[in-house]
Amino acid sequence: MSKPVLHFWFEFASTYSYLSAMRVEDMATAAGVEVAWHPFWLGPIFKAQGWDTSPFNLYPLKGAYMWRDMARICAARGLPLRQPDPFPQNAILAARTALLALQHPQGPAFCRAVYAAEFGQGRRIDSQELIQELLAETGLPAQLAEEASGDAAKQALRDSVAEAMRLGIFGAPSFIADGDLFWGDDRLEMALARLSA
Amino acid sequence: MSKPVLHFWFEFASTYSYLSAMRVEDMATAAGVEVAWHPFWLGPIFKAQGWDTSPFNLYPLKGAYMWRDMARICAARGLPLRQPDPFPQNAILAARTALLALQHPQGPAFCRAVYAAEFGQGRRIDSQELIQELLAETGLPAQLAEEASGDAAKQALRDSVAEAMRLGIFGAPSFIADGDLFWGDDRLEMALARLSA
């Protein structure tokens, strides 16, 4: 019998997606669940809500709290945390590359490497150089970074955003378990429980 | 030695505050912590963020998700859930009465009774009749409902909102533990862990 699948929707610019990306595979394995990784882009979704940047920038109190909350959670989980400049990062190149990388077994490792660079080390993730470095680090072909600027990769990201909107996704990370939407790293346990019940 | 104190900031119109109000005393007792109940009003705080109603109404996708999320959590905790009409409820009378009720030992029980009526039964909480019924139910003097419209009670709620703003509170429920802010029912465990560490 095939394992149940947790659909993990994530945005590379999102801090709480970092938290989930770093633990989702281990937790899913422990629950007997497979993970389908879905990189997407929040830009058009936030725009539809009338936002032109991260809500953590639009609402400064919420933004200050988010960094405090992240610092506490990262400390508890032994994860490094450094704020990249600017925040949010332009994550489109990373997302397009990830869609290609996820056609290979090393795809999830590449996604974790992007997050580790961005929020573990505070590096910018919008350059070809960084993306190529991370592809090499995870044993993926360097040309994926160039293919990511091609029409097929652009279309793949547009399709991913359209699918996220169709699913009612409005933020990241989001999980779809058994057709039901769960939003936020703090709902990962509930989403997995749905599948292993 | 006196017990550490968890400061619980709640708004009667807030669904997630209902979740916390129904479990905070039991969890705090188990952790050896005392709870200080702080009713406040989000109206002026949301207005400062440019919102004229609940963000769950301003952002319909988020609102639909919130009710789904609440239904799942209430089911898991054995709590009834009914959406009051309108949502959000005008919670000012309840908040002013609660500030008076909390000068009595039955204060927390009165707060829980308000939430049970509002989100357990879907009743309106903006009438003197309902507030008087709940005062009687929890063994508190009926005249608190009238005192709640007096100048002292009005000033007490204004003071509570000002203190919430001073603490950097931007949503409800919020917890202050050891001077640190925690936002959301899903951070109650972390806030308690801070105090019992």
Side-chain angles (χ1 to χ4, degrees), chain B residues 124-136:
Chain B
R124 295 184 65 128
I125 57 162
D126 59 354
S127 76
Q128 285 273 344
E129 292 68 32
L130 187 270
I131 294 297
Q132 282 176 342
E133 178 190 323
L134 301 178
L135 287 167

Side-chain angles (χ1 to χ4, degrees), chain B:
Chain B
M1 213 177 78
S2 64
K3 287 184 183 176
V5 177
L6 178 71
H7 293 275
F8 169 40
W9 288 81
F10 59 100
E11 142 78 86
F12 281 111
S14 147
T15 48
Y16 290 107
S17 294
Y18 167 49
L19 295 181
S20 293
M22 296 325 235
R23 67 185 188 129
V24 67
E25 287 282 3
D26 286 349
M27 292 186 61
T29 300
V33 166
E34 267 181 38
V35 182
W37 292 64
H38 301 277
F40 74 117
W41 179 39
L42 277 170
I45 292 173
F46 281 175
K47 195 163 271 179
Q49 297 179 50
W51 299 338
D52 60 359
T53 178
S54 164
F56 296 125
N57 290 345
L58 292 171
Y59 305 108
L61 277 179
K62 212 167 182 168
Y65 172 78
M66 179 275 285
W67 288 109
R68 180 80 194 99
D69 189 50
M70 282 291 297
R72 287 188 301 231
I73 296 172
C74 285
R77 297 187 189 170
L79 280 177
L81 180 66
R82 265 185 79 171
Q83 183 170 344
D85 180 26
F87 176 81
Q89 284 285 295
N90 180 333
I92 294 179
L93 174 63
R96 288 179 183 154
T97 309
L99 284 164
L100 297 168
L102 286 160
Q103 295 169 15
H104 303 258
Q106 303 98 315
F110 171 77
C111 296
R112 285 189 293 269
V114 173
Y115 280 116
E118 182 185 19
F119 292 118
Q121 303 175 40
R123 297 172 72 183
R124 295 184 65 128
I125 57 162
D126 59 354
S127 76
Q128 285 273 344
E129 292 68 32
L130 187 270
I131 294 297
Q132 282 176 342
E133 178 190 323
L134 301 178
L135 287 167
E137 187 185 312
T138 46
L140 283 162
Q143 78 262 22
L144 293 189
E146 281 134 55
E147 278 175 41
S149 301
D151 286 344
K154 288 180 179 175
Q155 188 58 46
L157 184 55
R158 278 194 291 267
D159 290 348
S160 184
V161 172
E163 175 70 1
M165 287 177 140
R166 198 189 62 74
L167 292 166
I169 288 174
F170 55 86
S174 289
F175 306 95
I176 306 277
D178 202 14
D180 213 5
L181 173 65
F182 297 81
W183 173 49
D185 177 69
D186 40 35
R187 294 297 183 272
L188 173 52
E189 286 83 354
M190 280 177 72
L192 281 171
R194 167 69 56 87
L195 291 172
S196 47

